[in-house]
Structure formats: C-alpha cells, structure tokens
Amino acid sequence: MLEISGLHARVANGAEILKGISLTVGKGEVHAIMGPNGSGKSTLAGVLVGRDRFEVTAGSVTLEGADLLALTPEERAVRGVFLGFQYPVEIPGITNAYFLRTALNSVRKARGQTELDAMEFLTLLKQKARLMEMDPSFLNRSVNEGFSGGEKKRNEILQMAVLEPRLAILDETDSGLDIDALKVVAAGVNALRSPERSVILVTHYQRLLDHIVPDHIHVLAGGRIVKSGGRELALALEAQGYGWIESAAGKA
Amino acid sequence: MNAHAGDQVLHHRALAAGLYGSGLPALQELRQSSIAAYAAHGLPETRHEDWRYTDLSVLRTTSFQPRAGGTLAHERERAVLGYLLANIGAERMVFVNGAYAPQVSNLPSVPAGCTLTTLAAAAATHGALLATHLGSSFSAARHPLAALNTALHGDGMFLHLTRNQALTAPMHVACLSAAAETPTAVHPRLLLVLEAGASATLTLSFQGSGRLHINAVTEIVLGAGAALDLQVLQEDSAEGVHTELISARLEQSARLGVHVAALGGHSSRSEVLCQLAGDDASLSLTGLIIGAQKQTHDLTTLVRHTALRTTSQQVVKAVLDARSTGAYTGRVSVATGAQKTDAAQSCRTLLLSSEASMNTRPQLEIDADDVKCSHGATNGQLDAESLFYLRSRGIPLAAARILLTRAFADEVIDRFPLECVRSHLHGRVDGRIAPKDAVEVTA
Ligand SMILES: Nc1ncnc2c1ncn2[C@@H]1O[C@H](COP(=O)(O)OP(=O)(O)OP(=O)(O)O)[C@@H](O)[C@H]1O
Ligand SMILES: [Mg+2]
C-alpha cells in the first residue's frame, strides 16, 4: 500500500524535521506511530497529504506503486488518502453537509463514478452520522465552527466514514476525547478496517490501542523511527516513557 | 468661464431643450440651473477628498454623448433582457439607452390614486410632485454628475404611492444600454415618492455593453412609516464608467433598505445619501463589491442622523481579484440633539490577488452625546489552512477557492431581500473568480 523510503523533509527553507524515515504499510494493516512532542509525527502526516509548507529534500513515497509526492492534495484524496487533522479547521459559511457532499462528489467525479444527488447523499450522511452518534444538527452547522474539541475530532471521523479512504492517517484523533467518544471513534475506525484499507494512527496514548489494535507500533523521535515493535511496545512506553529508547538510539 | 466651458453649456442647453418637461417651467429652470452647476463645478477630481478613489479620467479625455433611440438592436441586449425577465420577476419597466421601452415592459396595476409611469408622462399629470422633489434631495454643487443627470435625463421612472398603499409584487426596473459607434452617455433617473405607511420592493438593474457612461440618479422620499427595499444590480459595461447617486429622505419611523451589488464598469462609483429626518427612522445598507481585472469600485455613503433614535446599519463586503481596487467611504454625521442614534458600519474585504487593493474610510462626525456608533474593517486573503483542508478532502483548488469566496460573500448576499437576486449574485460571485489551478495562495 504505502512505501516510505529515506524520507527527509524540512519546513520550507527552514530546519530539517524528518531525517530519514522508512516505513512500509501493507494492505489491511494498522500502524501506530508514537513519539515525544515535536518529534515530527504531524510533519510526516503533513508530507503524506501534501502540505505545501513542508519541503521534501530526499527520499520517496509511493502509494500502490505511484509516486505520491508528485500529486496535489486533492489528487491524493482521489487516490484514497485521508488525514484526520490534529487541529481541524473551522470554516464559517459552509455547512458540514454541503462541504462533505462537495468533497465526496469531487472524488467520485475524478474517479469516473456517478455523483450522488442531494437525497442520496443525505441518506448516506445521516446513516454515517448515526454510526458516529452525532446529532444531525451538526450537519447543518458551519464546518467545525464553534464545535468543541471532541466534536471536531468526531467530525473528522464522520468525514472519514463518508469518504471511505484506502489509507487513513489519524493524527491524534483520540486527544481531547472523553471515554465514550473514544469508543465511538474507535468503532468508526474499526468499521472501516478491511483487507483493502490501511490505517496510520498517530497517538500519545496506549488507551486508544486497546480499542484499535495495531499490527505494528513505531516510535518517532528526532525525525527518525527509533524503534518498531508489536503491541507490547506501547505498554512499555506507557510504563517507562520515551527516555530509554531515545538514549538507546542516541548511543547506537 | 473659458471658451470650452461656454461651448459645453450651449451644447447642454441644446440637448436639454429637446427633452421632456418643456411644459413645466419648474423643470426647465431646474435643468438650466443644473447645467450651470455642472459648468461651475465640472467633473470631480481625484484631488477632491470625496472623489479620491473614483477614476473618472476617461470622462475628461473622451466625449460621451447621449444616444437617441430605444430599440434592442443587439443580440447581446436581447439575451440579457431575456435572462433578466426570466429571473427577476415579471413586473418590470425597461429602459433602453435611457428611453422607455413599452413593448418589453410590463407595468403592474397600482392601487387607485397611485401612479407608476415614466417621468415624461408624470410631467404632464404630476407636475407639482416633480417640481417639489426632482433634484431636491442633494446639492447640485456637491454632486455635479447628479446635476448633469438632472440637466440631461431624457426619461425615467416615477412611482408615487399614496398613504398606506403598497406595490403588491416586487418591481424590476431594468436599464439596458449599448454604446453606439461613438462613446455614449445615458442618464437613468428614478423618482420614488412613498407617502405615509406606503411600501414597495424594487430591483434596479444596470446592464450595458461598449463604451458607456451610465450616470444614474435615484431620489427617494419616504413619508412617516413608509418602507422601501431597493436592490441595485450594477452590471454595466466592463469598458464603461458607472456613476450613480441614490439620495433619500426618511420621515418618522420610515424604513429604507438599500442593497447595492457593484460588479460592472471599468470604473464605478455608487454613492448613497440618506437623511434620517424623522424620529425612529432607519436605514439598512448592504454593499457587495466584486472587482476583477483592473476595475475600480467606489462605494460612498453619507448618512445624516438628524432626529431621535434613528438607526443605520451598513454591512459592506468586497471581493477583489487581479488588479482591481475597491473603496468604501462611510460617513456618518449625527446632528446636535439627535440622541439615541445607533449607527454601525462594517467593511470586510477578501483580496484574491496580491495586486488587488482596498481603501476603507469610516468618517464619523458626532455632535450629540448619547449615541452608539461603531465601525470595523478587515482585509484578508483566502485562508491557506481552510483551502488546504478542503483540498485534502478531494475538492480541487479552483472549486475550493470558489467555495470559500462564496462563503465570504454569502453574509452580504443573504441581506438582499429577493431570492431571485440572491441566486443571481451567487452565480456572479462564482463566475467572477478566475480559476488559478497553478497558483497557490498563501495567507
Ligand atoms: N511551520 C513550521 N515552522 C517551524 N517549525 C516547525 C513548523 N512546523 C513544524 N515545526 C517544528 O517541527 C517539529 C516537529 O513538529 P510536529 O508537529 O511534526 O511534531 P509532532 O510530533 O506532531 O508533535 P506533537 O506530539 O506535539 O503533536 C517541531 O519542533 C515543530 O516546532
Ligand atoms: Mg502532532
């Protein structure tokens, strides 16, 4: 599915943040990425979805064999890449429903599929909103405007549920969620899991991984993946923090 | 007076002599005094503070002459007319190059005692009303272009609603113009007199092609408790100049809504004068400015609060692309004793290009102590984070720009009372935003 190799990136004309990342995410796999604040997790996610504030200076990223870095953000969405933003944007004046319909129809059109009419879309949207246990009133409010932190995160997962991406990258979608919301979000992600879809979860908490069980866990520190492992790694991190890995990596 | 100015006066007198109102001495005098006022003051210059952002230079270097004849000669005019008729209501009064075009107009019937007709017809039947109100709401010396209209307007619309009467359906006044071989001047004129308790909704549209100077004047007289909503769709020729004065006087508890959309003209100026002369009178003003290419749009308002508890609310938004420039001057004057005045104005600008610019000038002159006056202005670009968010969901850059621009403009478009006008403006906003797939906008 996704093949990242020797990836270096910096803030446009600034300091280097990613310093050689290699990662392979197979079809149907769930990978968790953990790591200290400022280690480059959101930067990696941003590079994968084409944020122009980052500049790739070396390395490559392919999605099912295609050069991902050569595509615009909207083309990546058409190929099935989705980012759940760590900080979702508020957009006054555009309703959630209109935004999502425009998005879904844009990608369907680009894929040569028929667009959904207003009724078909509303039926789909309401069904997905139920799944996310979201009040339908959220659909007619401006995108994220005045939403609480948790509501914004839930709205990200609603968008994911509607767009059904092949590669979902969720950047700290669990942060700021109460326990019930965490379960709903996890259920939303699990509902999407299939042999055809892959997920990258960026998180600080082992708790999320109780609900969405990852196949692999990676620790990102100082712009590099310093350790990879299975579920037990998350438990060790929860108990001991990052210090032991960072110092071990520093010695290596 | 130099020789050239003298020639101009003779020329204007000759033109005026052929216009309606020869049987109405008051109107003849008014035309003559207006010719003199225009000759004395001439075209406003940009060094004049009030006209700093209005580019009238082409009027100085080019002679725009009135064009006789009111036929729809061109395909484009017919197409525009067809469009308007289909979209902006059935009851209409159409002027082609300033001349009334009865064959394509459709006047609604009005209540007994009320009158809806041309100014030329009204001169014969309502001479006293014309004599009282035409040219009475503004100073010819301070508004030389409006004075020129008074001198040379060939016809126009006259609406008189008597006490408590209403126009039952919204009325559309369409000014269609097309330049002849030579640059053409048109002076559309409206006189709207609503007596106490009367009410109406009007849409005034300007569509033009070629080298035109459209120089319009609308005078509004609202008696106690009268209510008028006026929507102005200015879509004049991109090669032309559009100048316009809307001048109103409101008596007690009268309510006026003026909603201006400035889209057309190479250079345009819309000026709104409003005197809130009766207690509790109120003005609601909306301005939508859309600039493309090298257009300049100037919206200037002067609201005079001269009675108790009067309110004015002005909401202006500008969307400026390419090398266009916009200006909004909002002058509010509160007279001594006009206590409890509530005057608010806001102007927000979306700059779609780094070469576009906006000048916003709130001007408050307050001579009363118990008043509430506020103003605010912001200039910004499309938010880069929002654009990226939309694109990351699969919405192409060009569509994302349109979506965000529309969201910005919606707040003012929603203030236009008629749905048909709102949807028309939505289409215009979408169409005005040049696709820029290759260019990334940064905040
Ligand atoms: N536009 C920018 N300008 C300068 N520095 C930046 C910019 N964007 C990111 N950085 C820096 O890059 C580093 C990595 O940031 P990033 O957001 O990827 O961290 P993160 O691992 O997601 O952290 P967190 O866990 O706090 O979300 C940080 O030191 C951050 O300050
Ligand atoms: Mg982060």
Side-chain angles (χ1 to χ4, degrees), chain A residues 49-53 72-74 77 82-83 85 89 91-94 98-99 103 106-107 144 156 159 163, chain B residues 383 385-399 403-404 406-408 410 437 440-442:
Chain A
V49 294
R51 256 192 197 282
D52 65 356
R53 74 160 82 114
T72 63
E74 53 268 39
F82 177 93
L83 172 65
F85 285 64
V89 182
I91 308 183
I94 301 177
Y98 186 77
F99 161 55
S106 296
V107 297
N144 293 326
E156 292 292 291
Q159 295 174 37
L163 294 169
Chain B
D383 178 47
E385 280 296 303
S386 303
L387 266 181
F388 179 73
Y389 194 69
L390 297 178
R391 296 177 74 192
S392 79
R393 298 299 183 243
I395 300 172
L397 177 58
L403 217 56
L404 291 177
R406 198 194 242 237
F408 174 83
D410 266 352
D437 292 275
E440 184 65 79
V441 180
T442 49

Side-chain angles (χ1 to χ4, degrees), chain A residues 138-212:
Chain A
F138 281 97
L139 306 177
N140 291 321
R141 281 172 59 179
S142 288
V143 178
N144 293 326
E145 193 185 26
F147 286 26
S148 76
E151 287 163 351
K152 284 180 184 167
K153 296 301 179 74
R154 224 186 257 226
N155 200 30
E156 292 292 291
I157 300 302
L158 172 70
Q159 295 174 37
M160 183 189 78
V162 169
L163 294 169
E164 300 186 327
R166 312 198 53 182
L167 173 66
I169 305 157
L170 303 180
D171 191 357
E172 294 197 29
T173 304
D174 54 333
S175 300
L177 292 183
D178 64 40
I179 295 166
D180 292 337
L182 184 73
K183 285 182 183 160
V184 170
V185 162
V189 176
N190 285 326
L192 196 79
R193 281 183 88 157
S194 87
E196 292 302 309
R197 300 183 204 283
S198 311
V199 180
I200 296 176
L201 291 176
V202 174
T203 182
H204 285 295
Y205 306 108
Q206 147 66 21
R207 199 180 54 170
L208 177 69
L209 307 180
D210 287 339
H211 298 283
I212 309 171

Side-chain angles (χ1 to χ4, degrees), chain B residues 152-404:
Chain B
L152 300 182
H153 73 280
D155 205 346
M157 181 210 198
F158 175 74
L159 174 67
H160 175 221
L161 294 178
T162 53
R163 179 174 276 272
N164 293 334
Q165 300 299 331
L167 274 191
T168 47
M171 170 84 194
H172 178 199
V173 183
C175 297
L176 301 181
S177 308
E181 305 286 289
T182 52
T184 300
V186 181
H187 302 282
R189 184 91 180 200
L190 286 80
L191 175 60
L192 313 172
V193 181
L194 277 64
E195 292 186 6
S199 64
T201 299
L202 282 180
T203 304
L204 172 60
S205 71
F206 297 94
Q207 311 266 344
S209 61
R211 303 191 70 194
L212 285 167
H213 175 204
I214 305 298
N215 178 41
V217 174
T218 300
E219 287 183 281
I220 297 166
V221 182
L222 297 185
L228 175 71
D229 267 305
L230 175 67
Q231 311 181 92
V232 180
L233 275 180
Q234 192 277 96
E235 300 184 283
D236 260 323
S237 167
E239 298 166 76
V241 178
H242 178 99
T243 52
E244 172 172 15
L245 176 69
I246 296 169
S247 179
R249 183 188 159 90
L250 279 66
E251 298 302 334
Q252 189 179 343
S253 301
R255 190 188 64 72
L256 174 64
V258 178
H259 312 283
V260 179
L263 290 88
H266 179 72
S267 172
S268 90
R269 176 182 173 107
S270 302
E271 184 163 350
V272 179
L273 296 183
C274 180
Q275 185 184 359
L276 300 167
D279 295 347
D280 301 295
S282 70
L283 167 72
S284 167
L285 181 130
T286 307
L288 172 64
I289 291 172
I290 299 182
Q293 294 162 347
K294 289 165 79 175
Q295 283 184 306
T296 65
H297 292 300
D298 177 346
L299 175 62
T300 294
T301 66
L302 168 55
V303 182
R304 294 167 58 208
H305 293 260
T306 58
L308 295 174
R309 296 177 305 272
T310 56
T311 60
S312 64
Q313 191 200 36
Q314 307 187 49
V315 179
V316 177
K317 277 195 173 179
V319 178
L320 301 173
D321 200 358
R323 297 169 66 184
S324 62
T325 64
Y328 167 62
T329 303
R331 184 177 300 165
V332 170
S333 80
V334 180
T336 314
Q339 304 297 12
K340 306 277 184 209
T341 287
D342 187 347
Q345 47 180 307
S346 83
C347 178
R348 296 181 59 196
T349 302
L350 175 59
L351 296 166
L352 293 175
S353 136
S354 58
E355 289 178 289
S357 66
M358 180 74 185
N359 298 290
T360 306
R361 298 187 297 180
Q363 300 180 336
L364 307 181
E365 298 158 5
I366 301 170
D367 292 320
D369 47 20
D370 184 12
V371 302
K372 222 166 76 186
C373 290
S374 66
H375 62 85
T378 60
N379 281 8
Q381 294 160 313
L382 285 179
D383 178 47
E385 280 296 303
S386 303
L387 266 181
F388 179 73
Y389 194 69
L390 297 178
R391 296 177 74 192
S392 79
R393 298 299 183 243
I395 300 172
L397 177 58
R401 288 171 57 91
I402 288 178
L403 217 56
L404 291 177

